[in-house]
């Protein structure tokens, strides 16, 4: 039981470190563009983060290499509105 709990704790710490590393990469990439991020949250798309900035919302890949600006909508929501 103790081994299982210790392993879970180590895995949780490792994954939380990865999340912070991704956020740091995103902040660094945006800083090069002169964009100040105020909040980084999980995005509705796997492999991306939602970044709230002083100029709006951006969707950025976890590695900080690609940015999408615009609205993120599910296909289900689009089919209901037509």
């Amino acid at each position: 039981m103790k081994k299982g709990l210790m392993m879970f704790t180590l895995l949780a710490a490792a994954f939380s470190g990865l999340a912070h590393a991704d956020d740091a990469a995103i902040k660094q990439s945006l800083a090069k563009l002169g964009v100040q991020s105020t909040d980084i949250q999980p995005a509705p798309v796997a492999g991306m983060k939602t970044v709230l900035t002083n100029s709006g919302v951006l969707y950025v890949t976890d590695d900080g290499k690609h940015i999408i600006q615009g609205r993120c909508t599910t296909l289900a929501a689009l089919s209901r509105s037509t």
Side-chain angles (χ1 to χ4, degrees):
M1 182 69 176
K2 279 189 173 185
K3 279 186 179 182
L5 181 60
M6 182 176 275
M7 191 62 128
F8 174 75
T9 304
L10 289 173
L11 286 172
F15 282 113
S16 68
L18 288 175
H20 291 297
D22 294 342
D23 290 358
I26 290 170
K27 286 182 180 187
Q28 184 178 22
S29 294
L30 293 176
K32 290 178 184 176
L33 300 172
V35 176
Q36 295 291 349
S37 65
T38 58
D39 193 21
I40 299 176
Q41 305 169 354
V45 179
M48 298 194 80
K49 300 279 182 132
T50 300
V51 181
L52 305 176
T53 71
N54 53 353
S55 56
V57 177
L58 300 172
Y59 297 96
V60 182
T61 55
D62 284 339
D63 61 8
K65 293 183 180 179
H66 299 88
I67 298 172
I68 298 172
Q69 183 178 11
R71 201 169 93 182
C72 184
T73 306
T74 64
L75 293 175
L78 288 175
S79 64
R80 284 192 302 262
S81 64
T82 57

